[in-house]
Amino acid sequence: MGKKGFILCVCQGTCPSFGKMDIFAVLSDVRREKLFDYVCLHPQLCVGDGDEFIKVLLSGGETEKLYVAGCDPRMQGKMFRDAFEASGFDKEKHIALDIRNKTTEEAVAAIKEMAAENP
């Protein structure tokens, strides 16, 4: 069985939509819950090095599902499409969640719910 990966993308951590959230507390809480095989933080997946990050991350074929908490899910699908294709990752196995404008606790709860609904 493949691994479940989680990326927290935070618009450089400077976007006002992440102002109520302690991003490191979110990552720590999610990691401690062991919902995913690995968790990581990326400052801005929507830029060029974000595509490269996703390609490298998925290139080994070990990740079965990739959960990304950040901006709008439709936007994520469009932004990551080329990286998924280049790495041979099935875009249907990308689970996206919008966590903007949430507190730390709200973000953690939403991520837990996403993981439970998409095992």
Side-chain angles (χ1 to χ4, degrees):
M1 177 184 269
K3 296 183 189 254
K4 293 179 183 177
F6 174 78
I7 303 173
L8 179 61
C9 183
V10 296
C11 298
Q12 299 181 14
T14 58
C15 177
S17 64
F18 287 91
K20 299 186 291 184
M21 187 185 313
D22 178 340
I23 59 176
F24 292 105
V26 171
L27 269 182
S28 291
D29 287 355
V30 169
R31 180 187 55 81
R32 279 193 298 271
E33 291 285 331
K34 299 184 182 189
L35 303 170
F36 310 101
D37 296 303
Y38 63 85
V39 300
C40 54
L41 173 69
H42 195 280
Q44 196 173 20
L45 286 170
C46 62
V47 295
D49 72 321
D51 266 2
E52 191 60 29
F53 177 81
I54 290 173
K55 287 181 209 174
V56 170
L57 180 69
L58 299 176
S59 67
E62 293 183 33
T63 300
E64 178 182 353
K65 285 190 178 180
L66 183 64
Y67 302 77
V68 180
C71 67
D72 181 81
R74 291 170 300 209
M75 201 163 146
Q76 287 187 38
K78 291 176 184 178
M79 288 186 301
F80 309 150
R81 180 182 49 229
D82 293 344
F84 290 157
E85 188 175 305
S87 63
F89 184 76
D90 180 357
K91 67 181 179 182
E92 299 300 318
K93 301 211 177 199
H94 163 234
I95 314 300
L97 177 66
D98 186 346
I99 59 165
R100 295 173 295 177
N101 299 308
K102 295 190 181 305
T103 65
T104 301
E105 296 77 18
E106 291 168 338
V108 170
I111 292 164
K112 286 180 183 180
E113 184 178 330
M114 171 187 64
E117 291 176 355
N118 300 281

